């Protein structure tokens, strides 16, 4: 995209992936004539106010009717429109699960679904709005690609790749405003191909979404004792098997995700490892299969030990 430059990358980092989504969609509309964006009363939350005003013929708000949104999107896709749908992650995925199964998985209508504010970002609203189940649910539906971008630039790159892909995609946006920059403008994103951000000989830390930065910071803390490779496994389905094969030659595999430890990135890695004759121990870090009381984003990350310091502590304990 022509909008990718160092200045914009800094701006996108400040406003976060949600607001960046609308900017990216508006840029895509310039070159994709059959693009349609559908929302459920979230134009402001998804950064789409400018898109709605600039491209009214490419925008449809179906109101707070998420299941209907998937049905309408599938109908548009059957008429050769290139469709993006978006709302908050639990409503985009869990509320629409049967419609996604039937229309996208079974009937193979191609849609790019964007779940905004996934993970723990909306912790002050409780677990009706937090989403720690979306990856686990959608991984069980055939034909759905799942991508969890590490920063706002990767969100832009992933949205473009998903829209141009032949398969339906779920784009899982985690984090909030002021999300750390991971990539520069020359970054080459490819669906299904993970990125090694730091080399290391002892262990491999696989992470996705907001946890990529946490993984890099944890590796810095561990560096005096353990040499850690850090891999951004941005595509959770299909998983990068080559990267896992490489990691299996080391002492330990660690997965970090802002998701339930059941069904997400860690589970996807472990499932592939069962096909291998030899594989190392795995430490799966995330939300430990529970719903807690609500709280702000920082509080919940600390509660679930998803901070660099706590991640480093757990890795050291696991290696004893």
């Amino acid at each position: 995209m022509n909008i990718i430059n160092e200045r914009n990358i800094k701006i996108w980092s400040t406003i976060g992936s949600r607001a960046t989504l609308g900017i990216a969609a508006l840029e895509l509309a310039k070159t994709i004539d059959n693009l349609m964006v559908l929302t459920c009363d979230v134009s402001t939350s998804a950064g789409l106010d400018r898109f709605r005003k600039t491209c009214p013929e490419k925008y449809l708000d179906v109101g707070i009717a998420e299941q209907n949104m998937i049905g309408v999107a599938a109908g548009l896709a059957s008429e050769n429109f290139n469709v993006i749908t978006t709302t908050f992650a639990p409503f985009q995925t869990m509320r629409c699960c049967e419609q996604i199964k039937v229309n996208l998985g079974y009937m193979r209508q191609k849609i790019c679904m964007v779940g905004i504010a996934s993970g723990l970002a909306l912790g002050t609203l409780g677990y009706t709005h937090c989403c720690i189940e979306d990856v686990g649910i959608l991984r069980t539906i055939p034909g759905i690609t799942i991508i969890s971008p590490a920063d706002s630039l990767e969100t832009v790159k992933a949205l473009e790749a998903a829209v141009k892909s032949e398969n339906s995609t779920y784009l899982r946006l985690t984090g909030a405003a002021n999300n750390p920059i991971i990539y520069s403008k020359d970054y080459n994103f490819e669906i299904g191909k993970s990125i090694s951000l730091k080399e290391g000989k002892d262990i491999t830390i696989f992470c996705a979404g907001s946890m990529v930065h946490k993984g890099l910071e944890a590796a810095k803390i561990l560096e005096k004792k353990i040499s850690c490779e850090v891999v951004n496994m941005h595509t959770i389905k299909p998983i990068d098997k080559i990267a896992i094969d490489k990691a299996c030659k080391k002492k330990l595999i660690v997965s970090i995700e802002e998701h339930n430890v059941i069904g997400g990135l860690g589970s996807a890695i472990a499932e592939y490892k069962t096909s291998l004759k030899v594989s190392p121990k795995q430490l799966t870090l995330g939300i430990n299969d529970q719903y807690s009381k609500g709280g702000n984003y920082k509080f919940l990350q600390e509660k679930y030990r998803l901070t660099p310091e706590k991640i480093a502590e757990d890795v050291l304990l696991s290696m004893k």
Side-chain angles (χ1 to χ4, degrees):
M1 290 190 197
N2 294 330
I3 56 173
I4 296 175
N5 56 58
E6 297 302 335
R7 177 179 176 274
N8 281 342
I9 290 170
K10 291 179 181 178
I11 293 172
W12 299 339
S13 170
T14 301
I15 64 178
S17 290
R18 271 203 272 166
T20 302
L21 169 67
I23 295 171
L26 186 59
E27 186 68 14
L28 287 174
K30 295 177 181 178
T31 56
I32 302 176
D33 292 335
N34 64 342
L35 186 71
M36 282 293 296
V37 176
L38 275 62
T39 72
C40 294
D41 198 26
V42 296
S43 65
T44 300
S45 298
L48 288 161
D49 280 339
R50 186 181 299 175
F51 186 100
R52 172 173 57 84
K53 295 172 183 176
T54 306
C55 306
E57 75 286 356
K58 296 178 182 289
Y59 181 85
L60 180 61
D61 190 331
V62 303
I64 304 175
E66 291 84 359
Q67 295 164 332
N68 188 44
M69 177 178 69
I70 296 298
V72 173
L76 288 166
S78 72
E79 295 297 320
N80 296 318
F81 284 92
N82 205 329
V83 187
I84 298 171
T85 64
T86 187
T87 185
F88 290 101
F91 315 136
Q92 172 69 89
T93 56
M94 300 167 72
R95 186 168 292 173
C96 302
C97 186
E98 184 184 3
Q99 286 72 28
I100 293 169
K101 169 193 169 179
V102 173
N103 292 305
L104 279 62
Y106 188 30
M107 295 176 65
R108 299 183 183 178
Q109 300 298 343
K110 184 258 177 172
I111 298 170
C112 173
M113 302 175 290
V114 184
I116 59 175
S118 191
L120 302 171
L122 295 181
T124 53
L125 298 176
Y127 282 84
T128 57
H129 285 65
C130 287
C131 198
I132 62 170
E133 314 88 352
D134 48 351
V135 174
I137 289 169
L138 293 188
R139 279 183 62 230
T140 66
I141 299 177
I144 309 291
T145 297
I146 302 173
I147 303 172
S148 183
D151 66 1
S152 292
L153 173 60
E154 192 164 56
T155 297
V156 173
K157 294 268 190 176
L159 181 67
E160 181 179 24
V163 167
K164 294 180 179 180
S165 169
E166 295 182 357
N167 297 322
S168 284
T169 302
Y170 174 55
L171 205 59
R172 184 182 199 248
L173 302 190
T174 53
N178 296 309
N179 63 354
I181 295 172
I182 304 298
Y183 293 109
S184 58
K185 65 179 182 179
D186 58 350
Y187 167 49
N188 181 38
F189 175 87
E190 184 178 340
I191 292 174
K193 187 174 182 180
S194 63
I195 303 292
S196 180
L197 297 170
K198 178 187 174 300
E199 292 297 328
K201 66 180 188 303
D202 295 325
I203 72 171
T204 296
I205 299 174
F206 288 109
C207 29
S210 58
M211 292 297 106
V212 172
H213 182 258
K214 305 292 186 189
L216 287 167
E217 292 299 304
K220 290 179 183 178
I221 297 171
L222 290 165
E223 199 59 40
K224 293 181 181 179
K225 298 180 179 180
I226 304 171
S227 176
C228 307
E229 181 180 15
V230 180
V231 176
N232 174 17
M233 190 71 88
H234 51 69
T235 305
I236 302 172
K237 184 182 179 182
I239 200 80
D240 187 345
K241 296 177 181 179
I242 295 174
I244 300 172
D245 287 337
K246 177 184 175 185
C248 282
K249 298 175 183 178
K250 297 176 184 174
K251 300 175 184 176
L252 176 71
I253 287 176
V254 180
S255 62
I256 316 172
E257 56 193 316
E258 202 170 301
H259 186 276
N260 195 340
V261 293
I262 297 173
L265 172 63
S267 293
I269 293 168
E271 287 163 16
Y272 173 66
K273 283 171 59 188
T274 63
S275 67
L276 305 177
K277 290 183 178 179
V278 179
S279 62
K281 178 180 176 180
Q282 180 175 332
L283 173 64
T284 304
L285 302 178
I287 290 81
N288 192 25
D289 195 30
Q290 62 175 290
Y291 295 124
S292 67
K293 293 181 179 179
N296 68 37
Y297 194 22
K298 183 179 179 182
F299 168 81
L300 289 176
Q301 286 182 326
E302 290 175 350
K303 175 179 177 59
Y304 290 112
R305 303 182 66 82
L306 294 175
T307 65
E309 296 77 16
K310 298 298 184 183
I311 291 167
E313 285 180 17
D314 289 344
V315 169
L316 289 173
L317 283 172
S318 182
M319 296 194 72
K320 286 185 178 179

